């Protein structure tokens, strides 16, 4: 009789554990949902001249402090709603030492004039809008930096409580070799602790060689050999799954119930 009771208790415990795993374990999320699409966008895009490209794919752990303030502020700029940004025009006011026509905006902000014209085009938006977008992506307050680039030619400058963005007098040009980056989302799960983790395949191809990170140090030799053996090979989703490497991106929930990017790791 005692053995039957022990057996019954053991079976009951197993059932409870199974139910807990089912109902409290990782919950798979729809990759095409608005929430996952938005969170994935927080990782940036492949253009290295825009916000530094995909800063999270280094092959090592990347956290908030790993990425420069300029690149984080740049990415926040692209999250501002378009209706919060106004397009402005200003007349040329001076010429710099390189005989380039310049428009002076506000307290010392200078933009290059449209080529062949006597005016400058620039965008304006409230600092508070950038603060909101920045906090949404990173869960932190906006840094004190007063300027940042949004691409290789255009920069944003703080003047009072507004930012002005236009063509800067100096350019920021990337010297990295031309490359094509492939990303393929694998899955998104909500963990038991409430975190959302998005996994994706990453593969960079440059000069007919394959790499597993933004740098050119981590070559995927089997992938490179495949490209050398098949010159006309089309790189598709199956190829990326086979030769790409898996990254995991963790998003945590803030006090308002919104998710922000927390860290990225090579799985």
């Amino acid at each position: 009789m005692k053995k039957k009771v022990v057996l019954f208790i053991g079976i009951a415990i197993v059932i409870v554990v199974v139910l807990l795993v089912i109902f409290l374990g990782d919950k798979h999320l729809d990759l095409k949902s608005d929430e996952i699409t938005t969170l994935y966008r927080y990782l940036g895009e492949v253009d290295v001249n825009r916000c530094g490209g995909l800063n999270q794919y280094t092959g090592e752990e990347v956290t908030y402090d790993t990425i420069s303030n300029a690149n984080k502020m740049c990415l926040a700029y692209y999250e501002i709603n378009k209706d919060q940004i106004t397009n402005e025009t200003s007349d040329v006011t001076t010429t710099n030492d390189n005989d380039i026509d310049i428009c002076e905006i506000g307290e010392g902000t200078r933009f290059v004039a449209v080529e062949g014209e006597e005016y400058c085009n620039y965008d304006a938006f409230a600092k508070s809008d950038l603060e909101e977008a920045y906090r949404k992506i990173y869960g932190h307050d906006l840094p004190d930096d007063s300027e940042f680039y949004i691409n290789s030619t255009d920069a944003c400058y703080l003047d009072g409580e507004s930012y002005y963005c236009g063509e800067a007098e100096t350019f920021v040009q990337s010297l990295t070799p031309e490359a094509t980056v492939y990303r393929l989302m694998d899955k998104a799960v909500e963990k038991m602790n409430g975190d959302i983790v998005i996994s994706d395949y990453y593969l960079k191809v440059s000069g007919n060689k394959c790499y597993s990170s933004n740098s050119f140090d981590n070559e995927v030799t089997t992938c490179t050999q495949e490209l050398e053996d098949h010159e006309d090979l089309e790189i598709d989703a199956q190829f990326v799954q086979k030769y790409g490497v898996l990254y995991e991106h963790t998003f945590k929930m803030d006090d308002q119930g919104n998710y922000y990017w927390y860290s990225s790791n090579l799985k």
Side-chain angles (χ1 to χ4, degrees), residues 94-102 110 169:
T94 187
T95 302
N96 67 13
D97 294 338
N98 296 317
D99 292 328
I100 297 175
D101 289 336
I102 299 296
R110 293 160 62 92
E169 293 184 80

Side-chain angles (χ1 to χ4, degrees), residues 29-31 33-40 185 188 196 198:
L29 305 174
D30 182 4
L31 293 178
S33 67
D34 290 340
E35 179 179 45
I36 298 304
T37 300
T38 298
L39 294 180
Y40 198 60
M185 275 200 286
I196 288 180
I198 299 177

Side-chain angles (χ1 to χ4, degrees), residues 247-265:
Y247 279 82
E248 285 188 341
H249 312 281
T250 300
F251 300 83
K252 289 188 175 293
M253 184 182 292
D254 63 18
D255 295 337
Q256 306 300 316
N258 301 311
Y259 282 95
Y260 64 92
W261 173 78
Y262 180 76
S263 67
S264 293
N265 292 276

Side-chain angles (χ1 to χ4, degrees), residues 2-254:
K2 184 180 293 186
K3 289 183 178 180
K4 290 184 178 180
V5 172
V6 172
L7 179 62
F8 176 79
I9 293 175
I11 294 174
I13 292 174
V14 170
I15 293 174
V16 170
V17 170
V18 171
L19 291 175
L20 286 175
V21 170
I22 293 175
F23 292 105
L24 299 179
D26 294 348
K27 176 185 176 183
H28 285 260
L29 305 174
D30 182 4
L31 293 178
K32 295 182 180 180
S33 67
D34 290 340
E35 179 179 45
I36 298 304
T37 300
T38 298
L39 294 180
Y40 198 60
R41 190 172 66 238
Y42 290 173
L43 301 176
E45 59 179 62
V46 299
D47 186 356
V48 296
N49 291 312
R50 179 167 162 174
C51 309
L54 296 169
N55 298 286
Q56 285 86 350
Y57 298 81
T58 68
E60 300 177 351
E61 182 181 29
V62 177
T63 61
Y64 175 82
D65 293 328
T66 309
I67 304 174
S68 70
N69 287 345
N71 284 337
K72 288 182 292 195
M73 295 172 74
C74 171
L75 196 58
Y77 164 82
Y78 287 103
E79 280 299 311
I80 297 175
N81 293 330
K82 299 305 180 184
D83 57 4
Q84 295 174 313
I85 301 175
T86 60
N87 303 119
E88 308 286 348
T89 299
S90 181
D91 293 332
V92 168
T93 57
T94 187
T95 302
N96 67 13
D97 294 338
N98 296 317
D99 292 328
I100 297 175
D101 289 336
I102 299 296
C103 303
E104 297 170 305
I105 313 297
E107 297 295 327
T109 299
R110 293 160 62 92
F111 294 128
V112 174
V114 176
E115 186 175 0
E117 303 293 343
E118 293 296 316
Y119 63 87
C120 300
N121 291 325
Y122 64 95
D123 293 336
F125 57 89
K127 178 184 177 183
S128 58
D129 293 332
L130 186 65
E131 290 173 332
E132 181 180 351
Y134 190 94
R135 193 174 297 109
K136 181 174 66 173
I137 298 175
Y138 298 109
H140 287 73
D141 291 335
L142 185 71
D144 294 330
D145 302 43
S146 60
E147 62 182 70
F148 60 93
Y149 278 80
I150 55 176
N151 55 46
S152 59
T153 60
D154 294 354
C156 296
Y157 303 98
L158 179 63
D159 185 353
E161 292 302 311
S162 297
Y163 274 95
Y164 301 109
C165 306
E167 185 174 340
E169 293 184 80
T170 56
F171 295 169
V172 176
Q173 193 68 41
S174 171
L175 300 178
T176 57
E178 184 176 347
T180 302
V181 173
Y182 301 89
R183 289 192 300 163
L184 180 66
M185 275 200 286
D186 179 50
K187 63 180 179 180
V189 298
E190 182 179 340
K191 310 293 285 187
M192 290 182 64
N193 63 358
D195 292 351
I196 288 180
V197 177
I198 299 177
S199 302
D200 67 343
Y201 290 95
Y202 173 96
L203 182 66
K204 181 172 71 174
V205 178
S206 178
N208 221 36
K209 291 186 177 182
C210 304
Y211 302 91
S212 62
S213 69
N214 285 333
S215 72
F216 291 87
D217 299 327
N218 305 309
E219 184 179 352
V220 183
T221 55
T222 54
C223 175
T224 298
Q225 188 63 52
E226 184 74 7
L227 293 180
E228 291 177 353
D229 293 342
H230 304 86
E231 294 183 3
D232 298 326
L233 181 66
E234 179 182 355
I235 298 179
D236 55 13
Q238 185 176 0
F239 186 92
V240 175
Q241 282 183 312
K242 182 176 181 179
Y243 294 107
V245 295
L246 269 174
Y247 279 82
E248 285 188 341
H249 312 281
T250 300
F251 300 83
K252 289 188 175 293
M253 184 182 292
D254 63 18

